[in-house]
PDB file of all heavy atoms in Angstrom:
ATOM      1  N   ALA B 119       2.349  -4.642  17.645  1.00 95.00           N
ATOM      2  CA  ALA B 119       3.097  -3.790  18.485  1.00 95.00           C
ATOM      3  C   ALA B 119       4.158  -3.047  17.774  1.00 95.00           C
ATOM      4  O   ALA B 119       4.422  -1.842  17.949  1.00 95.00           O
ATOM      5  CB  ALA B 119       3.696  -4.593  19.641  1.00 95.00           C
ATOM      6  N   ARG B 120       4.886  -3.753  16.775  1.00 95.00           N
ATOM      7  CA  ARG B 120       5.991  -3.047  16.038  1.00 95.00           C
ATOM      8  C   ARG B 120       5.342  -2.047  15.109  1.00 95.00           C
ATOM      9  O   ARG B 120       6.072  -0.993  14.815  1.00 95.00           O
ATOM     10  CB  ARG B 120       6.816  -4.066  15.264  1.00 95.00           C
ATOM     11  CG  ARG B 120       7.520  -5.109  16.148  1.00 95.00           C
ATOM     12  CD  ARG B 120       8.957  -4.800  16.490  1.00 95.00           C
ATOM     13  NE  ARG B 120       9.736  -3.922  15.656  1.00 95.00           N
ATOM     14  CZ  ARG B 120      10.560  -4.359  14.697  1.00 95.00           C
ATOM     15  NH1 ARG B 120      10.686  -5.696  14.488  1.00 95.00           N
ATOM     16  NH2 ARG B 120      11.249  -3.573  13.964  1.00 95.00           N
ATOM     17  N   ASN B 121       4.202  -2.279  14.528  1.00 96.00           N
ATOM     18  CA  ASN B 121       3.511  -1.282  13.870  1.00 96.00           C
ATOM     19  C   ASN B 121       3.318   0.015  14.581  1.00 96.00           C
ATOM     20  O   ASN B 121       3.639   1.096  14.075  1.00 96.00           O
ATOM     21  CB  ASN B 121       2.246  -1.805  13.230  1.00 96.00           C
ATOM     22  CG  ASN B 121       2.283  -2.352  11.833  1.00 96.00           C
ATOM     23  OD1 ASN B 121       2.287  -1.485  10.818  1.00 96.00           O
ATOM     24  ND2 ASN B 121       2.451  -3.620  11.633  1.00 96.00           N
ATOM     25  N   VAL B 122       2.785  -0.227  15.747  1.00 96.00           N
ATOM     26  CA  VAL B 122       2.447   0.966  16.642  1.00 96.00           C
ATOM     27  C   VAL B 122       3.762   1.656  17.026  1.00 96.00           C
ATOM     28  O   VAL B 122       3.820   2.884  17.029  1.00 96.00           O
ATOM     29  CB  VAL B 122       1.692   0.507  17.848  1.00 96.00           C
ATOM     30  CG1 VAL B 122       1.386   1.734  18.805  1.00 96.00           C
ATOM     31  CG2 VAL B 122       0.315  -0.052  17.423  1.00 96.00           C
ATOM     32  N   ALA B 123       4.783   0.845  17.279  1.00 96.00           N
ATOM     33  CA  ALA B 123       6.019   1.401  17.706  1.00 96.00           C
ATOM     34  C   ALA B 123       6.926   2.129  16.641  1.00 96.00           C
ATOM     35  O   ALA B 123       7.875   2.735  16.929  1.00 96.00           O
ATOM     36  CB  ALA B 123       6.796   0.256  18.338  1.00 96.00           C
ATOM     37  N   TYR B 124       6.465   1.922  15.431  1.00 96.00           N
ATOM     38  CA  TYR B 124       7.259   2.362  14.269  1.00 96.00           C
ATOM     39  C   TYR B 124       7.791   3.668  14.491  1.00 96.00           C
ATOM     40  O   TYR B 124       9.080   3.943  14.337  1.00 96.00           O
ATOM     41  CB  TYR B 124       6.561   2.244  12.971  1.00 96.00           C
ATOM     42  CG  TYR B 124       7.355   2.299  11.708  1.00 96.00           C
ATOM     43  CD1 TYR B 124       8.008   1.270  11.225  1.00 96.00           C
ATOM     44  CD2 TYR B 124       7.537   3.544  11.101  1.00 96.00           C
ATOM     45  CE1 TYR B 124       8.806   1.314  10.053  1.00 96.00           C
ATOM     46  CE2 TYR B 124       8.349   3.650   9.977  1.00 96.00           C
ATOM     47  CZ  TYR B 124       8.916   2.525   9.429  1.00 96.00           C
ATOM     48  OH  TYR B 124       9.736   2.647   8.327  1.00 96.00           O
ATOM     49  N   SER B 125       7.083   4.679  14.592  1.00 96.00           N
ATOM     50  CA  SER B 125       7.498   6.012  14.676  1.00 96.00           C
ATOM     51  C   SER B 125       8.469   6.367  15.816  1.00 96.00           C
ATOM     52  O   SER B 125       9.452   7.148  15.753  1.00 96.00           O
ATOM     53  CB  SER B 125       6.330   7.068  14.729  1.00 96.00           C
ATOM     54  OG  SER B 125       5.579   6.700  15.874  1.00 96.00           O
ATOM     55  N   LEU B 126       8.245   5.559  16.978  1.00 96.00           N
ATOM     56  CA  LEU B 126       9.131   5.696  18.093  1.00 96.00           C
ATOM     57  C   LEU B 126      10.462   5.110  17.830  1.00 96.00           C
ATOM     58  O   LEU B 126      11.490   5.609  18.174  1.00 96.00           O
ATOM     59  CB  LEU B 126       8.477   5.125  19.346  1.00 96.00           C
ATOM     60  CG  LEU B 126       7.142   5.694  19.663  1.00 96.00           C
ATOM     61  CD1 LEU B 126       6.539   5.042  20.909  1.00 96.00           C
ATOM     62  CD2 LEU B 126       7.246   7.194  19.955  1.00 96.00           C
ATOM     63  N   GLU B 127      10.387   3.898  17.151  1.00 95.00           N
ATOM     64  CA  GLU B 127      11.642   3.164  16.822  1.00 95.00           C
ATOM     65  C   GLU B 127      12.556   4.068  15.873  1.00 95.00           C
ATOM     66  O   GLU B 127      13.752   4.126  16.013  1.00 95.00           O
ATOM     67  CB  GLU B 127      11.368   1.917  16.151  1.00 95.00           C
ATOM     68  CG  GLU B 127      10.984   0.823  17.203  1.00 95.00           C
ATOM     69  CD  GLU B 127      10.681  -0.537  16.556  1.00 95.00           C
ATOM     70  OE1 GLU B 127      11.070  -0.701  15.252  1.00 95.00           O
ATOM     71  OE2 GLU B 127      10.105  -1.479  17.080  1.00 95.00           O
ATOM     72  N   VAL B 128      11.876   4.614  14.951  1.00 95.00           N
ATOM     73  CA  VAL B 128      12.551   5.474  13.904  1.00 95.00           C
ATOM     74  C   VAL B 128      13.280   6.764  14.686  1.00 95.00           C
ATOM     75  O   VAL B 128      14.329   7.094  14.357  1.00 95.00           O
ATOM     76  CB  VAL B 128      11.570   6.016  12.837  1.00 95.00           C
ATOM     77  CG1 VAL B 128      12.169   7.117  12.080  1.00 95.00           C
ATOM     78  CG2 VAL B 128      11.265   4.816  11.921  1.00 95.00           C
ATOM     79  N   ALA B 129      12.499   7.226  15.696  1.00 94.00           N
ATOM     80  CA  ALA B 129      13.055   8.339  16.381  1.00 94.00           C
ATOM     81  C   ALA B 129      14.021   7.922  17.560  1.00 94.00           C
ATOM     82  O   ALA B 129      14.408   8.763  18.304  1.00 94.00           O
ATOM     83  CB  ALA B 129      11.821   9.193  17.005  1.00 94.00           C
ATOM     84  N   ARG B 130      14.308   6.662  17.577  1.00 94.00           N
ATOM     85  CA  ARG B 130      15.291   6.123  18.556  1.00 94.00           C
ATOM     86  C   ARG B 130      14.864   6.443  19.951  1.00 94.00           C
ATOM     87  O   ARG B 130      15.726   6.817  20.781  1.00 94.00           O
ATOM     88  CB  ARG B 130      16.718   6.614  18.258  1.00 94.00           C
ATOM     89  CG  ARG B 130      17.146   6.332  16.853  1.00 94.00           C
ATOM     90  CD  ARG B 130      18.573   5.866  16.788  1.00 94.00           C
ATOM     91  NE  ARG B 130      18.846   5.094  15.649  1.00 94.00           N
ATOM     92  CZ  ARG B 130      18.937   5.655  14.391  1.00 94.00           C
ATOM     93  NH1 ARG B 130      18.768   6.948  14.278  1.00 94.00           N
ATOM     94  NH2 ARG B 130      19.164   4.957  13.350  1.00 94.00           N
ATOM     95  N   VAL B 131      13.672   6.194  20.311  1.00 94.00           N
ATOM     96  CA  VAL B 131      13.224   6.382  21.658  1.00 94.00           C
ATOM     97  C   VAL B 131      13.684   5.152  22.488  1.00 94.00           C
ATOM     98  O   VAL B 131      13.778   4.072  21.887  1.00 94.00           O
ATOM     99  CB  VAL B 131      11.628   6.521  21.707  1.00 94.00           C
ATOM    100  CG1 VAL B 131      11.157   6.546  23.132  1.00 94.00           C
ATOM    101  CG2 VAL B 131      11.156   7.796  20.964  1.00 94.00           C
ATOM    102  N   ASP B 132      13.949   5.388  23.683  1.00 95.00           N
ATOM    103  CA  ASP B 132      14.351   4.281  24.604  1.00 95.00           C
ATOM    104  C   ASP B 132      13.455   3.163  24.536  1.00 95.00           C
ATOM    105  O   ASP B 132      12.245   3.306  24.737  1.00 95.00           O
ATOM    106  CB  ASP B 132      14.486   4.838  26.002  1.00 95.00           C
ATOM    107  CG  ASP B 132      14.847   3.819  27.046  1.00 95.00           C
ATOM    108  OD1 ASP B 132      15.905   3.098  26.758  1.00 95.00           O
ATOM    109  OD2 ASP B 132      14.119   3.614  28.034  1.00 95.00           O
ATOM    110  N   PRO B 133      13.940   1.859  24.371  1.00 95.00           N
ATOM    111  CA  PRO B 133      13.095   0.739  24.196  1.00 95.00           C
ATOM    112  C   PRO B 133      12.071   0.494  25.356  1.00 95.00           C
ATOM    113  O   PRO B 133      10.927   0.119  25.122  1.00 95.00           O
ATOM    114  CB  PRO B 133      14.092  -0.467  24.189  1.00 95.00           C
ATOM    115  CG  PRO B 133      15.310   0.090  23.682  1.00 95.00           C
ATOM    116  CD  PRO B 133      15.349   1.481  24.126  1.00 95.00           C
TER     117      PRO B 133
END
Side-chain angles (χ1 to χ4, degrees):
Chain B
R120 297 265 334 264
N121 262 279
V122 177
Y124 192 85
S125 56
L126 303 178
E127 283 179 12
V128 165
R130 302 223 158 72
V131 175
D132 175 55

